[in-house]
Amino acid sequence: MSAGPKQVLILGGGFAGVYTARRLEKLLRPEEACITLINRENYWVYQPMLPEVISGSIGLTNVVSPIRRLCPRTNLIMREVEVINLQKQIVTISPGFRPRELQLKYDHLVIALGSVTDFHGMPGMVENAMPFRTLADAMVLRNHLIHVLEEADVEENPELRRQLLTFVVGGGGFSGVEVMAELNDFVRSVKKNYLRLCNEPHRCVIVQAGDRILPEMSETLAIFAQRILRKRGVEIILNDRVKSATSEKAILQSDNEIPCKTLISTVPSALPPVIQKLDCPNERGKLLVNTRLELKNYEGKVWALGDCACVKTVAGTQVPPTAQHAIREAAIAAINIAAAVRSGECAEFGFEGRGTLGSLGHGTAIAQICGVKLSGFLAWCLWRCVYLMKMPGLNRKVRIVADWLLHLLFPPELAQTKVAFESGIRKQHFEPGDIIFEQGDLGDNVYVIEEGECEVLHEQKNEQKLLATLNRGECFGEMALLSNRTRSATIRARNATNVLIIPKADFDKLRRSVPAFGEVFGELVKRRSPEGAPHSFLETAGCCGGHPIPTPVAESELGPPAGFAPTELS
Amino acid sequence: MSAGPKQVLILGGGFAGVYTARRLEKLLRPEEACITLINRENYWVYQPMLPEVISGSIGLTNVVSPIRRLCPRTNLIMREVEVINLQKQIVTISPGFRPRELQLKYDHLVIALGSVTDFHGMPGMVENAMPFRTLADAMVLRNHLIHVLEEADVEENPELRRQLLTFVVGGGGFSGVEVMAELNDFVRSVKKNYLRLCNEPHRCVIVQAGDRILPEMSETLAIFAQRILRKRGVEIILNDRVKSATSEKAILQSDNEIPCKTLISTVPSALPPVIQKLDCPNERGKLLVNTRLELKNYEGKVWALGDCACVKTVAGTQVPPTAQHAIREAAIAAINIAAAVRSGECAEFGFEGRGTLGSLGHGTAIAQICGVKLSGFLAWCLWRCVYLMKMPGLNRKVRIVADWLLHLLFPPELAQTKVAFESGIRKQHFEPGDIIFEQGDLGDNVYVIEEGECEVLHEQKNEQKLLATLNRGECFGEMALLSNRTRSATIRARNATNVLIIPKADFDKLRRSVPAFGEVFGELVKRRSPEGAPHSFLETAGCCGGHPIPTPVAESELGPPAGFAPTELS
């Protein structure tokens, strides 16, 4: 028949992709097929246990499993998928150390790239809302929580302390509820180690669009879950949703605002851009497949499964995007690929789901299995057992049990495992009236207005004066970087404003190396500097930084933390 | 006597700082002293076990301990120290979420800020050599090793594969040897999981300036260690040192070059900048203190200890920068601070060291304790026991033992725990003759020459032609970003060259938001684009990108990995 093994290419290393590879390794001999899997990471994430990383009840690397060990016969390529060419049967992947693209030709293709977070039409969410999908997301969130607690411990201002201790989750589905439950448990238990926070309350808020949380579950269980969460101090806001965000607050559809430094969003998802570009029939934003999971017009060549596919069972039920379904889809896809490789019999997808399980933290869970409803500690034990059993490999099982035992004995981990400190050129969103920076602040960034208008305000003798307004394309804040370090004016957004933030380090590098870049700002400073008339500012307002009046540099704020020195300073 | 508790401020959370705080909590009552510790991280790193993070024989967070739990009565402030004003007795620390500085007044100050890596006068080291001091360093190295293995597994070119599998450590002291031993063990054991690497050799090189490794130990043990390491496949280059580096190689003093993608440097250290700025007597780059560990001219007020201090025992011995000495220094400092607070008796530093211990990996170690020399498995058991016992807290001890047991049973972790993907505006160093990018490469960065000269080379019909040379301040590579994606010329460094690299994402943001920035590059492209005479390039060479000749865009390279598709493409 064919010369040499067939090339089977699997895109994506989630439940769907990895289980397809595992099954194919069993169904096809090496001389029949060469299996290659492309994934951005070299590990597979065990999503159901991901929230446990927050509280550290499972160690960071125990919630994931190296794909090379799960699928020992599969070629793993740790790159990103850039282009899928269904006509030519070629997939292009991103370059590695060498800046060259790699193209792979396939005989059979499995698309299992999952979904991505999509904050389209929600201003400020990309910059300020944290997703919760990957191990990296979980680590970032955990480090952020510790950072916020550390800062709250030092903060003198009670309002800011309250803001630092407010945690908002957008989305009251399984994912949102489990993240909030773990987060709440974590903050509660580590707060004891912070001398000034032990008696400080913290605020946890779930915002859910429907009229109850957990739409995946029956109403009785959802109501039970709501009661449990509220008892543990979690606020639940129903029939509302997070519509936008700034670095200081979450803004709801109802126009309510929640001042917070931590906003987690588990809600909106879309097809990955590389799939969006395909010219294929979609249904509700997902790739349309038949009950054999084949992509229309590419039967026998291309399969799509997991979160990126719109799968229906033979009975016509819409399949939800859960792990148990993805695993069954993978089995069907593998059988059908094996059939295509050596012309066997095909299988159709008919799995209707076994039930749902969700943890509410603190030894409580809810379960709905084969029609039976369970809640409380018993459900929690069941939850742990089921997911432990489903975790492939003895290695992980033993490690997770060890972690759970240690977690019973000792308080949760508190060390921040931060690698890179946030920096780089980035965007930020401000709502009307928001302060971008305040007179007297340290100047560590230069700002460029991408959209909106800003006001330059100067305060002297308790009187605030509007000096100018700045428009799109104008920049500000360079003065504090080029001369003195503190801001000599306040900048306030007049309407919804998006800015580009250039940190001092990047600004300095660019200024020194790209002469034209430096010149722009050098001239600005000259124009805006206070030589000549003290009000020269308004005359040269074309582009401004709000530093016209030669006030003495503000003394840096003297605010030692509560427990510290009541001594008078200078 | 005094009104209210005295303010004791400790700068630095290493062995010296944390042990001073712990001892002070015992010596002084809360009403006598309020202890504050400032550290960049909220954890204390157990340095002796840090190398074990590489192979994962200890979990990431088990090699550190939260300072809040070690010193429950101490106020921890997780910030950086910016200015120490010894005259006014004020320490300024960096801002947190709010861009305001915090100033702290002290009655007694402990400076224990350790040392920093200093690559001054070693071109390319900052950009390419990885330090190994903090937990973040260990995580970065571990993730880098996995990345390199993943890429080597895909790489077709045997020369590049060899380069990816070469690991160089600069410095053959304890730290360098332990890192290399762990690295070697890790690579050896996980290579089995890479289908194309199992039979591929890897290369480990230690470069040491002296005529033997481990100058801290007796010659017999050092020779033993050298034999063991060589038996395990580690090359040891003596009487040489790494003098510079590029992203492709390490360059030694002897002008030997080692092509590699992994260069770890444990060598040069200097005082942290904040201490360098102090007007204090130094000795060999360290703060000079008396045997009571007091800073000269600030007796009874300021103590300096740990790696940043030049400590001598009462017998006059120079104290080495090790953990056992730092702990004893901390005890002395704490006694003397307590004495200053309530006028008691002072203590002097007289500890002469107990011995040294070092792991060589794979169940072998060397030890030299109270004159007795030990090596091999017995020394290794001793090494583990001693360091386990020295780790404070039952929690960590139990967790570490659990990790060790699991490490015996199961293969090492292979999951990359990468959070942020490297990006941002950065610098890079090239040696004469180095290729910066090659014709046909994908264009993902714009380059600006900060120092040196570059040649623009164009290849057509196997003939290479020099089109132009570029000098300081000129930029190149923008064409591939603005129009087509592949480079249409090769850029080669003519002499030692430093460039600023602006990644596509940052370049695009700046170009859109800062009009002047966009204009510079827009004009460049217009000038350099192939309209008009095909040789217009040389005429407008003032500033150039090497894209003058209208060649068709090079086809992206088709290099499927070894196991993949022997099929012909397009």
Side-chain angles (χ1 to χ4, degrees):
Chain A
M1 302 233 297
S2 68
K6 293 281 184 191
Q7 296 298 333
V8 179
L9 188 55
I10 301 170
L11 310 182
F15 271 95
V18 165
Y19 276 81
T20 305
R22 278 165 72 90
R23 186 54 80 97
L24 279 175
E25 288 189 4
K26 281 181 200 149
L27 290 176
L28 292 170
R29 289 186 308 274
E31 57 276 19
E32 285 178 312
C34 171
I35 309 162
T36 303
L37 190 150
I38 300 171
N39 193 41
R40 189 186 309 183
E41 281 106 16
N42 75 343
Y43 56 80
W44 161 80
V45 183
Y46 195 54
Q47 292 286 349
M49 286 190 181
L50 193 57
E52 295 203 40
V53 166
I54 299 173
S55 70
S57 65
I58 294 186
L60 274 182
T61 50
N62 293 344
V63 79
V64 299
S65 205
I67 293 175
R68 292 185 182 280
R69 298 231 171 95
L70 288 172
C71 322
R73 234 187 67 205
T74 300
N75 287 308
L76 172 69
I77 303 184
M78 200 177 82
R79 301 271 185 92
E80 303 231 22
V81 178
E82 299 222 316
V83 183
I84 302 171
N85 190 328
L86 295 174
Q87 279 75 37
K88 291 190 180 165
Q89 301 190 194
I90 292 176
V91 169
T92 306
I93 58 177
S94 66
F97 278 108
R98 269 203 307 167
R100 298 276 171 140
E101 270 176 353
L102 207 57
Q103 295 196 327
L104 303 174
K105 190 151 174 59
Y106 63 80
D107 297 305
H108 304 287
L109 180 71
V110 177
I111 303 178
L113 288 164
S115 59
V116 294
T117 305
D118 176 26
F119 289 130
H120 193 78
M122 302 167 83
M125 291 293 274
V126 173
E127 297 88 344
N128 301 298
M130 308 166 88
F132 197 83
R133 288 167 172 271
T134 64
L135 179 64
D137 292 343
M139 286 173 73
V140 167
L141 175 58
R142 189 170 179 282
N143 288 334
H144 176 82
L145 291 178
I146 294 169
H147 188 191
V148 158
L149 289 171
E150 294 289 345
E151 285 299 320
D153 192 60
V154 179
E155 185 57 60
E156 275 293 85
N157 182 328
E159 206 173 308
L160 290 179
R161 205 160 55 232
R162 220 161 22 240
Q163 182 195 28
L164 287 165
L165 293 175
T166 301
F167 308 95
V168 179
V169 170
F174 259 122
S175 168
V177 166
E178 291 192 346
V179 167
M180 183 49 96
E182 284 286 321
L183 186 158
N184 190 21
D185 282 358
F186 176 67
V187 172
R188 257 169 193 266
S189 80
V190 300
K191 245 181 15 182
K192 292 175 207 137
N193 290 107
Y194 291 80
L195 290 177
R196 302 187 201 90
L197 298 183
C198 355
N199 300 315
E200 194 87 12
H202 69 276
R203 188 180 173 201
C204 288
V205 187
I206 293 181
V207 183
Q208 161 72 339
D211 57 3
R212 63 167 170 104
I213 59 167
L214 296 173
E216 302 95 334
M217 286 244 165
S218 76
E219 197 166 345
T220 354
L221 283 177
I223 301 291
F224 172 82
Q226 280 180 194
R227 212 177 54 230
I228 292 287
L229 288 171
R230 283 185 171 138
K231 219 161 91 188
R232 297 270 302 155
V234 177
E235 260 174 72
I236 300 172
I237 299 179
L238 298 172
N239 299 311
D240 208 343
R241 62 177 199 87
V242 180
K243 75 167 178 194
S244 61
T246 73
S247 63
E248 307 296 322
K249 64 198 173 205
I251 301 155
L252 308 188
Q253 194 71 59
S254 60
D255 282 332
N256 279 338
E257 292 184 354
I258 309 174
C260 64
K261 285 279 183 194
T262 311
L263 169 61
I264 302 147
S265 179
T266 59
V267 181
S269 67
L271 275 186
V274 64
I275 306 186
Q276 278 177 31
K277 281 183 227 146
L278 291 180
D279 183 25
C280 285
N282 278 23
E283 194 174 309
R284 278 179 297 160
K286 293 182 168 196
L287 290 174
L288 195 65
V289 294
N290 62 22
T291 51
R292 292 174 179 189
L293 308 178
E294 291 159 321
L295 202 62
K296 214 181 160 179
N297 303 328
Y298 299 96
E299 287 87 359
K301 291 273 172 219
V302 183
W303 288 260
L305 51 158
D307 289 11
C308 67
C310 176
V311 179
K312 281 179 187 149
T313 63
V314 274
T317 328
Q318 176 74 37
V319 175
T322 67
Q324 56 177 324
H325 289 92
I327 293 172
R328 269 73 177 198
E329 285 166 30
I332 299 293
I335 291 169
N336 293 341
I337 292 166
V341 167
R342 54 179 180 213
S343 41
E345 206 164 310
C346 282
E348 289 187 295
F349 189 75
F351 179 71
E352 295 284 355
R354 286 264 169 83
T356 39
L357 274 164
S359 162
L360 302 176
H362 207 64
T364 318
I366 43 179
Q368 186 171 358
I369 292 174
C370 311
V372 181
K373 290 175 199 161
L374 270 177
S375 58
F377 183 69
L378 197 67
W380 184 77
C381 294
L382 184 72
W383 176 83
R384 283 216 155 169
C385 288
V386 167
Y387 282 124
L388 185 68
M389 287 304 117
K390 295 270 174 198
M391 178 62 134
L394 181 66
N395 182 346
R396 293 294 134 181
K397 285 195 183 79
V398 173
R399 284 180 189 273
I400 289 173
V401 170
D403 281 346
W404 280 342
L405 289 175
L406 290 170
H407 192 68
L408 281 180
L409 294 174
F410 301 112
E413 290 300 334
L414 188 54
Q416 208 186 30
T417 52
K418 210 163 187 169
V419 170
F421 287 82
E422 192 200 329
S423 71
I425 296 173
R426 58 192 191 274
K427 302 193 175 197
Q428 188 50 280
H429 173 75
F430 294 91
E431 288 284 309
D434 281 358
I435 301 294
I436 297 177
F437 59 68
E438 236 170 309
Q439 198 171 321
D441 279 358
L442 285 176
D444 275 345
N445 300 310
V446 171
Y447 299 77
V448 185
I449 304 177
E450 295 206 320
E451 228 182 306
E453 264 173 80
C454 296
E455 297 169 331
V456 184
L457 303 164
H458 186 78
E459 190 160 329
Q460 212 165 13
K461 295 173 193 140
N462 289 324
E463 214 179 298
Q464 209 177 45
K465 204 168 123 188
L466 176 69
L467 291 187
T469 54
L470 302 172
N471 295 302
R472 189 187 161 147
E474 291 180 308
C475 44
F476 57 87
E478 77 297 335
M479 192 74 123
L481 261 67
L482 294 174
S483 46
N484 41 53
R485 276 194 73 201
T486 49
R487 307 289 190 190
S488 51
T490 296
I491 306 286
R492 187 169 64 193
R494 173 171 282 180
N495 36 38
T497 298
N498 291 317
V499 299
L500 185 76
I501 301 180
I502 310 174
K504 183 172 171 35
D506 288 332
F507 181 76
D508 283 344
K509 279 185 209 149
L510 285 169
R511 194 163 58 93
R512 286 199 199 109
S513 302
V514 187
F517 185 84
E519 276 161 30
V520 177
F521 288 95
E523 249 172 63
L524 248 183
V525 172
K526 240 185 258 166
R527 266 195 292 157
R528 288 176 189 176
S529 68
E531 286 150 33
H535 295 289
S536 64
F537 180 79
L538 289 173
E539 292 161 39
T540 62
C543 182
C544 99
H547 312 276
I549 298 164
T551 37
V553 178
E555 276 287 312
S556 58
E557 187 202 36
L558 299 181
F564 201 81
T567 338
E568 274 295 304
L569 290 191
S570 57
Chain B
M1 304 232 297
S2 67
K6 292 281 184 192
Q7 296 298 334
V8 179
L9 188 55
I10 301 170
L11 310 183
F15 271 95
V18 165
Y19 276 82
T20 305
R22 278 165 72 91
R23 186 54 81 95
L24 279 175
E25 287 189 4
K26 282 182 200 147
L27 290 176
L28 294 169
R29 290 188 307 274
E31 57 276 20
E32 285 177 312
C34 171
I35 309 162
T36 303
L37 191 150
I38 300 172
N39 193 40
R40 190 187 307 182
E41 282 104 17
N42 75 343
Y43 55 80
W44 162 80
V45 182
Y46 195 54
Q47 293 287 349
M49 286 189 180
L50 193 57
E52 294 204 39
V53 166
I54 298 172
S55 69
S57 65
I58 294 186
L60 275 183
T61 49
N62 293 344
V63 80
V64 299
S65 204
I67 293 176
R68 293 184 181 282
R69 299 231 171 92
L70 288 173
C71 323
R73 233 186 69 205
T74 300
N75 288 308
L76 172 69
I77 303 184
M78 200 177 82
R79 302 271 184 92
E80 303 231 22
V81 178
E82 300 221 315
V83 183
I84 302 171
N85 189 329
L86 295 174
Q87 278 76 37
K88 291 190 182 166
Q89 300 190 196
I90 293 176
V91 169
T92 306
I93 58 176
S94 66
F97 278 107
R98 270 202 306 166
R100 297 274 170 143
E101 271 176 354
L102 207 58
Q103 295 196 326
L104 303 175
K105 191 153 174 57
Y106 63 80
D107 296 305
H108 303 287
L109 180 71
V110 177
I111 303 178
L113 287 164
S115 58
V116 295
T117 304
D118 176 27
F119 288 130
H120 193 77
M122 302 166 81
M125 291 293 275
V126 173
E127 298 88 343
N128 302 298
M130 309 167 88
F132 196 83
R133 288 169 173 270
T134 64
L135 179 64
D137 291 342
M139 287 172 72
V140 167
L141 175 59
R142 191 173 176 279
N143 288 334
H144 176 82
L145 291 177
I146 294 169
H147 188 191
V148 158
L149 290 171
E150 294 289 346
E151 285 300 319
D153 192 60
V154 179
E155 186 57 60
E156 274 293 84
N157 182 329
E159 205 173 310
L160 290 179
R161 205 161 54 233
R162 221 164 16 242
Q163 182 195 27
L164 288 164
L165 293 176
T166 300
F167 308 95
V168 179
V169 170
F174 260 122
S175 167
V177 166
E178 291 192 347
V179 166
M180 182 49 96
E182 284 286 321
L183 186 158
N184 189 21
D185 282 359
F186 176 67
V187 172
R188 257 167 192 267
S189 81
V190 301
K191 245 181 14 180
K192 293 175 205 137
N193 290 107
Y194 290 80
L195 290 177
R196 299 188 204 89
L197 298 184
C198 354
N199 301 314
E200 194 89 12
H202 69 278
R203 186 181 174 201
C204 289
V205 186
I206 293 181
V207 182
Q208 162 71 340
D211 57 2
R212 63 167 170 105
I213 59 168
L214 296 173
E216 304 94 334
M217 286 244 164
S218 75
E219 196 165 345
T220 354
L221 284 176
I223 301 290
F224 173 82
Q226 280 180 194
R227 211 177 55 232
I228 292 288
L229 288 171
R230 285 189 170 135
K231 217 159 94 186
R232 298 270 303 155
V234 178
E235 258 174 74
I236 300 173
I237 298 180
L238 297 172
N239 299 311
D240 208 343
R241 62 177 201 84
V242 181
K243 74 166 179 193
S244 60
T246 72
S247 64
E248 308 297 322
K249 64 197 172 207
I251 301 155
L252 308 188
Q253 193 72 58
S254 59
D255 282 333
N256 278 339
E257 293 185 353
I258 309 174
C260 65
K261 285 281 183 193
T262 311
L263 169 61
I264 302 147
S265 178
T266 59
V267 181
S269 67
L271 276 186
V274 65
I275 306 187
Q276 278 176 32
K277 280 183 228 145
L278 291 180
D279 182 24
C280 283
N282 278 23
E283 194 174 308
R284 277 178 298 158
K286 294 182 168 195
L287 290 175
L288 193 66
V289 293
N290 62 22
T291 51
R292 292 174 178 190
L293 308 177
E294 291 159 321
L295 202 63
K296 212 180 161 181
N297 303 329
Y298 300 96
E299 286 86 358
K301 291 273 172 220
V302 184
W303 288 259
L305 51 157
D307 289 10
C308 66
C310 175
V311 179
K312 280 181 190 149
T313 62
V314 274
T317 327
Q318 176 72 37
V319 175
T322 67
Q324 56 176 325
H325 289 92
I327 293 173
R328 268 73 176 200
E329 286 166 30
I332 299 293
I335 290 170
N336 293 341
I337 292 166
V341 167
R342 53 177 180 215
S343 40
E345 206 163 309
C346 282
E348 290 187 295
F349 189 75
F351 179 71
E352 295 283 354
R354 286 263 169 81
T356 39
L357 274 165
S359 162
L360 301 175
H362 207 66
T364 317
I366 41 178
Q368 185 171 358
I369 292 174
C370 310
V372 181
K373 290 173 198 163
L374 269 177
S375 59
F377 184 68
L378 197 69
W380 184 76
C381 295
L382 185 71
W383 177 82
R384 283 215 154 169
C385 289
V386 167
Y387 283 124
L388 185 67
M389 285 306 117
K390 295 270 175 196
M391 177 64 131
L394 181 67
N395 181 347
R396 292 295 133 180
K397 286 196 184 80
V398 173
R399 284 180 190 271
I400 288 174
V401 170
D403 280 346
W404 280 343
L405 288 175
L406 290 169
H407 192 68
L408 280 180
L409 295 173
F410 301 112
E413 290 300 333
L414 190 53
Q416 207 184 30
T417 52
K418 209 163 188 170
V419 169
F421 287 83
E422 194 201 326
S423 72
I425 295 173
R426 58 192 190 276
K427 302 192 175 198
Q428 188 50 280
H429 174 76
F430 295 92
E431 288 285 308
D434 281 358
I435 302 293
I436 297 176
F437 58 69
E438 237 171 309
Q439 198 171 320
D441 279 357
L442 286 174
D444 275 345
N445 300 308
V446 171
Y447 299 77
V448 185
I449 304 177
E450 296 205 320
E451 228 183 304
E453 265 174 79
C454 295
E455 297 169 330
V456 185
L457 303 163
H458 186 77
E459 191 161 327
Q460 212 165 12
K461 295 175 194 140
N462 289 323
E463 213 178 301
Q464 210 178 44
K465 204 169 124 188
L466 176 70
L467 291 187
T469 54
L470 302 173
N471 295 302
R472 190 186 161 149
E474 291 180 308
C475 44
F476 57 88
E478 78 296 336
M479 192 75 123
L481 261 67
L482 293 173
S483 46
N484 43 51
R485 277 194 71 203
T486 50
R487 308 288 190 189
S488 50
T490 295
I491 306 285
R492 187 170 63 194
R494 174 171 282 182
N495 35 38
T497 299
N498 291 315
V499 299
L500 186 76
I501 301 180
I502 310 174
K504 183 171 169 39
D506 288 333
F507 182 75
D508 283 344
K509 279 186 207 148
L510 284 168
R511 195 164 57 94
R512 286 199 198 108
S513 302
V514 187
F517 184 84
E519 276 162 31
V520 176
F521 289 95
E523 249 173 63
L524 247 185
V525 172
K526 240 184 254 165
R527 268 196 290 158
R528 289 177 187 177
S529 67
E531 284 150 34
H535 295 289
S536 64
F537 179 80
L538 288 173
E539 292 160 40
T540 62
C543 182
C544 97
H547 311 278
I549 299 165
T551 38
V553 179
E555 276 287 310
S556 59
E557 188 203 35
L558 299 179
F564 201 82
T567 339
E568 274 295 306
L569 290 191
S570 58

